[in-house]
Amino acid sequence: MSALTHTLAVLFGMGSWVSINGLWVELPLIVPQIPEGWYLPSYLSVLIQMANVGPLFVTLMHRFRPGALNETAVIYAIIALGTAASFLLGFFWKETVVVAGVPRSLALLVLTFFLAAVDCTSSVTFLPFMMRLQPQYLTTYFIGEGVSGLLPALVALVQGVGVVHCVNGTQPLNRSGNASAGAGDHGLQARYQPSNFSAEAFFFFLSAMMLVCLLAFLLLNLHPAVAREQPVPRYSNGTKERSRARRTRAEQRPMMDPFRRQKPRSSFGTGSYSWTQVVYIFVILAWVNALSNTMLPSVQSYSCLPYGNNAYHLSATLAAVSNPLACFVAMFVSIRSLVFMGFLTVLGTGIGSYIMFMAALSPCPLLVNDTSGAAVMVLAWILFILSLSYVKVIIGVILRDEGHSALVWCGAVVQLGSLLGALTMFPLVSVYGLFSSGDPCGTSCL
């Protein structure tokens, strides 16, 4: 396999969610400087779900007008839009407009919607495009998708975003939000460390990453070395895959047993899986994406901060590393057993339940004043992301063999699962306030 194609697949996958992931990790630096304050995460959640109109449109076009949508042109358009929107954020993210007598960060919200539309639509366009390359490169693409969360987190870590210093003092909380709740009780105040470089520079970095993704996609389309890696002619839709699948099944029939018939088990893809198995695969896909993309990340701070700021940053960083690590493992150990997939899903769900339970107990979860509590929480986040990321990669590999349409539906179900997870957690976290944040400088629990 070509090292160049592997590199380009990683860079291409990296552009899938790098913009929105970068925006999330930059929130501690953005929030104090805009009128929305800490209501901004709630607004972002709503905007991201509204942006699912993009993948919905692509999926409906694929279903009712197959071949009418030029997949390559759509990918060029959304990557270019993401590059431009990230670049413009560097200039206008602090600009406000008075709406109904109240200042609003209109430019930030509008540009965020465009970024969310780009990233959501990538789920139903980037994956099907990978059908044009050898199956091994799909796993490499998933590594790049994992790096899209890891790289902004590492850059934000270098930037010093969200790094808290605990300073002595028993004075009451100030209104700037620099001191955390309960600081007066503990004689410590949590203060955010000044960033090493500005939010503007960070947004320009995100724009550069999207530009790298655009160049990688250009080379994946035009470079001769990549063209030699294409197993089949380039298809812009899935209209030809059914006949090709039938030919493949006919060619693979055992020559020594002419009386054996290999009837397709369903009309889905190549017919390798029954409809019960197809539903099983897609239900697991929706569930693991709901858990790993929206439900558990929305309570990560509640589950980790009671154990200290170091536990929070360590769990966030190592969880981000675990995603591409799971994809890397899947390159060499690819277990497609549906039973094993179910086992990993149950394991990840159990670990996620522990994390959710600790978040619900915040600010006084189990072992809050014990070093082992922080170690268990960090390990829980690592195993949670490792297990579910591996499940997502294996499902992608399975559906890749089922054809172009299967990967389009894969992307659609990924977004559906994320949407359902967000709709479930948003009222619990932002409306009903069922979770309470811990004090990063020490939690007082009886």
Side-chain angles (χ1 to χ4, degrees):
M1 294 183 292
S2 169
L4 172 64
T5 309
H6 274 299
T7 303
L8 294 177
V10 169
L11 295 177
F12 177 53
M14 188 177 62
S16 57
W17 281 93
V18 70
S19 299
I20 289 299
N21 287 332
L23 192 60
W24 278 111
V25 299
E26 197 71 0
L27 284 181
L29 196 59
I30 296 174
V31 163
Q33 304 182 57
I34 59 173
E36 287 79 8
W38 279 108
Y39 286 105
L40 180 63
S42 299
Y43 296 158
L44 294 185
S45 299
V46 174
L47 287 172
I48 291 172
Q49 303 317 315
M50 290 173 59
N52 277 306
V53 66
L56 177 62
F57 171 76
V58 172
T59 305
L60 292 177
M61 286 292 292
H62 173 77
R63 175 65 180 85
F64 297 106
R65 294 287 304 278
L69 201 62
N70 188 323
E71 186 176 87
T72 302
V74 171
I75 294 176
Y76 275 122
I78 63 174
I79 298 178
L81 177 61
T83 304
S86 300
F87 186 75
L88 291 174
L89 269 178
F91 293 101
F92 300 110
W93 70 272
K94 285 193 294 188
E95 300 297 323
T96 59
V97 176
V98 177
V99 179
V102 179
R104 295 294 183 190
S105 304
L106 187 61
L108 174 63
L109 297 176
V110 171
L111 291 173
T112 297
F113 174 79
F114 286 134
L115 289 179
V118 168
D119 291 356
C120 290
T121 308
S122 71
S123 296
V124 293
T125 52
F126 286 19
L127 270 177
F129 172 80
M130 295 304 296
M131 271 291 298
R132 307 182 183 194
L133 302 177
Q134 297 284 351
Q136 296 87 344
Y137 295 114
L138 182 63
T139 306
T140 311
Y141 165 83
F142 278 115
I143 293 177
E145 195 174 74
V147 172
S148 73
L150 173 63
L151 190 59
L154 293 179
V155 174
L157 198 61
V158 173
Q159 187 185 14
V161 171
V163 177
V164 174
H165 287 301
C166 298
V167 297
N168 290 324
T170 56
Q171 62 267 34
L173 302 177
N174 58 44
R175 300 185 62 182
S176 66
N178 283 336
S180 63
D185 297 334
H186 304 298
L188 293 175
Q189 289 182 339
R191 297 188 183 276
Y192 285 108
Q193 173 182 295
S195 61
N196 296 321
F197 53 88
S198 66
E200 288 84 353
F202 186 84
F203 288 131
F204 292 146
F205 161 77
L206 294 182
S207 180
M209 289 298 96
M210 291 300 297
L211 186 59
V212 168
C213 174
L214 180 60
L215 294 175
F217 181 64
L218 185 67
L219 292 175
L220 284 173
N221 273 287
L222 303 178
H223 200 283
V226 179
R228 290 193 293 270
E229 297 288 338
Q230 295 175 356
V232 295
R234 296 184 177 186
Y235 295 126
S236 60
N237 56 70
T239 57
K240 297 183 181 180
E241 64 190 14
R242 294 185 182 88
S243 61
R244 179 164 56 86
R246 286 194 293 268
R247 289 198 303 271
T248 301
R249 287 197 302 270
E251 293 169 358
Q252 292 177 346
R253 288 175 181 170
M255 297 299 294
M256 300 301 293
D257 189 4
F259 300 102
R260 180 181 176 182
R261 295 182 180 181
Q262 291 190 350
K263 293 182 180 180
R265 303 177 69 181
S266 69
S267 59
F268 179 80
T270 62
S272 302
Y273 297 93
S274 66
W275 278 115
T276 302
Q277 292 173 321
V278 170
V279 172
Y280 169 81
I281 290 171
F282 279 122
V283 167
I284 285 183
L285 182 63
W287 175 245
V288 299
N289 278 280
L291 286 179
S292 61
N293 292 352
T294 51
M295 294 182 70
L296 269 297
S298 65
V299 298
Q300 185 169 24
S301 62
Y302 300 106
S303 66
C304 298
L305 274 180
Y307 297 103
N309 191 58
N310 289 334
Y312 173 70
H313 280 281
L314 197 59
S315 64
T317 303
L318 293 181
V321 172
S322 299
N323 191 331
L325 177 61
C327 301
F328 184 76
V329 171
M331 287 186 64
F332 303 98
V333 184
S334 180
I335 303 175
R336 303 192 186 192
S337 167
L338 299 186
V339 175
F340 183 68
M341 184 191 305
F343 168 76
L344 285 183
T345 302
V346 172
L347 176 64
T349 302
I351 297 173
S353 299
Y354 171 80
I355 295 172
M356 185 70 73
F357 183 54
M358 294 302 103
L361 293 178
S362 178
C364 295
L366 301 178
L367 302 174
V368 65
N369 295 318
D370 197 320
T371 306
S372 62
V376 170
M377 181 54 64
V378 172
L379 182 62
W381 271 102
I382 294 173
L383 295 178
F384 171 74
I385 297 298
L386 270 177
S387 58
L388 297 193
S389 295
Y390 188 87
V391 169
K392 288 189 281 187
V393 174
I394 295 304
I395 290 178
V397 171
I398 289 174
L399 295 179
R400 192 267 175 210
D401 291 343
E402 298 304 304
H404 181 277
S405 293
L407 285 182
V408 173
W409 286 109
C410 176
V413 172
V414 165
Q415 290 306 118
L416 176 62
S418 301
L419 172 63
L420 294 177
L423 292 178
T424 301
M425 295 305 298
F426 179 79
L428 299 180
V429 175
S430 302
V431 178
Y432 298 110
L434 298 183
F435 299 90
S436 300
S437 181
D439 179 6
C441 289
T443 303
S444 177
C445 298
L446 297 177

